[in-house]
Amino acid sequence: MTRSKWMIVIVVLLLVAMVPVLVMAQGGERTGTVKLVRGERAQPVTDVPKGTVALTGPKAVLPQAPTQKLGLAPAETHFRVREGFEASWPNGPWDTFDNNGALGGDVCWDDENWIAFRGDWSGWPAGGCADGLDPNLFYYPDDMDSWATIGPFSTEPADAGHLTFRYWNNSEEGWDYFLWCASVDNIDYYCDYHTGYTNNRWRIGRLNLNNVPGYGSMLGYPEVWIAFVFQSDFINFVGYDGPFVDNVHLRVRR
Ligand SMILES: [Ca+2]
Ligand SMILES: [Ca+2]
Ligand SMILES: [Ca+2]
């Protein structure tokens, strides 16, 4: 081969070698579990390799109490929240707040009508409090530590507690985290998280209070909290829409 042909071969080989890099640059995502202490940023401890989607296992089968298995008693609901963000929010047991003070302004969750799994409205972590934005016009800001909580509620008489919800996310992968968590002291929260892009799809998020990641069972406690958290770092080089949450269903029963 002539020298110029060798050059072409080398260039082609280099381009082929770059394909995985180019593919990975196009909006990957990661999920995992992490312990989150209120007032601190999450330090993810387990990572799924970039581009691997491992969000949820097979559909959870709700465990039944012995009496139910025998057909003696129907399930008894002790605490239930259904939220589709189509009416006034926050309401009832919900609370929302900015957890890092003046840093990044005063930003918390609110109901918004930019995108929804069902209806027209969903929850968004940058829409509420004094410096809240409209997702129809803005991306999420930097330095966020935005919380939406349900609770406290009791699980003392409960045999089962399940949280399910839908979420859509586009956040800066590896830097800006959407987390869903549970706590028995409102300080240490145990969470699953998503960072990156859900490819314009709504995913199912789950939390089983009988098997909270990193903790174990949170059944049998006088006070339990659920939290949806979004944390962004100090910079984005391009704009991201962030996480939207819809069809939240929490049920604690025996
Ligand atoms: Ca909705
Ligand atoms: Ca703040
Ligand atoms: Ca960021």
Side-chain angles (χ1 to χ4, degrees):
M1 268 193 266
T2 65
R3 189 170 169 169
S4 60
K5 278 184 179 171
W6 273 114
M7 286 300 291
I8 290 169
V9 168
I10 288 167
V11 168
V12 167
L13 285 173
L14 278 172
L15 283 173
V16 168
M18 282 177 66
V19 164
V21 177
L22 293 171
V23 168
M24 284 169 71
Q26 291 173 357
E29 61 185 334
R30 282 186 259 173
T31 59
T33 65
V34 67
K35 178 184 172 184
L36 174 60
V37 181
R38 257 188 76 162
E40 297 178 3
R41 274 186 61 83
Q43 305 283 331
V45 288
T46 57
D47 280 341
V48 175
K50 211 172 185 178
T52 301
V53 180
L55 283 172
T56 50
K59 192 167 186 179
V61 177
L62 296 178
Q64 291 191 312
T67 48
Q68 291 170 252
K69 286 176 183 163
L70 294 169
L72 299 177
E76 188 184 330
T77 297
H78 287 276
F79 183 71
R80 186 172 216 168
V81 173
R82 283 179 177 277
E83 186 57 61
F85 302 94
E86 299 299 309
S88 174
W89 190 92
N91 56 61
W94 287 92
D95 191 15
T96 180
F97 50 90
D98 179 315
N99 202 40
N100 65 358
L103 182 66
D106 183 18
V107 178
C108 63
W109 290 72
D110 201 6
D111 50 329
E112 300 288 351
N113 64 353
W114 184 68
I115 192 174
F117 175 73
R118 189 156 295 167
D120 298 315
W121 296 77
S122 59
W124 189 55
C129 291
D131 298 314
L133 301 169
D134 181 347
N136 291 287
L137 305 173
F138 295 97
Y139 297 113
Y140 66 76
D142 301 325
D143 287 321
M144 288 175 62
D145 189 8
S146 176
W147 288 59
T149 57
I150 301 172
F153 56 90
S154 170
T155 61
E156 274 182 325
D159 296 314
H162 289 270
L163 170 75
T164 62
F165 61 98
R166 301 281 179 156
Y167 70 96
W168 182 110
N169 189 28
N170 188 12
S171 71
E172 189 189 18
E173 188 193 354
W175 301 99
D176 301 340
Y177 286 84
F178 166 54
L179 309 103
W180 52 101
C181 319
S183 172
V184 294
D185 60 9
N186 200 20
I187 298 169
D188 292 340
Y189 277 81
Y190 295 84
C191 313
D192 282 330
Y193 66 78
H194 180 275
T195 176
Y197 187 37
T198 56
N199 275 309
N200 199 26
R201 293 193 181 94
W202 288 85
R203 298 272 170 74
I204 299 178
R206 292 191 173 93
L207 205 56
N208 179 357
L209 290 179
N210 196 32
N211 187 18
V212 176
Y215 188 85
S217 180
M218 289 192 180
L219 301 179
Y221 287 84
E223 293 187 315
V224 175
W225 288 261
I226 295 288
F228 296 94
V229 181
F230 185 69
Q231 298 185 330
S232 60
D233 72 341
F234 71 102
I235 196 167
N236 281 345
F237 291 106
V238 297
Y240 298 92
D241 294 301
F244 292 79
V245 172
D246 208 352
N247 281 36
V248 176
H249 185 199
L250 173 65
R251 188 183 180 203
V252 177
R253 65 175 180 81
R254 69 186 301 169

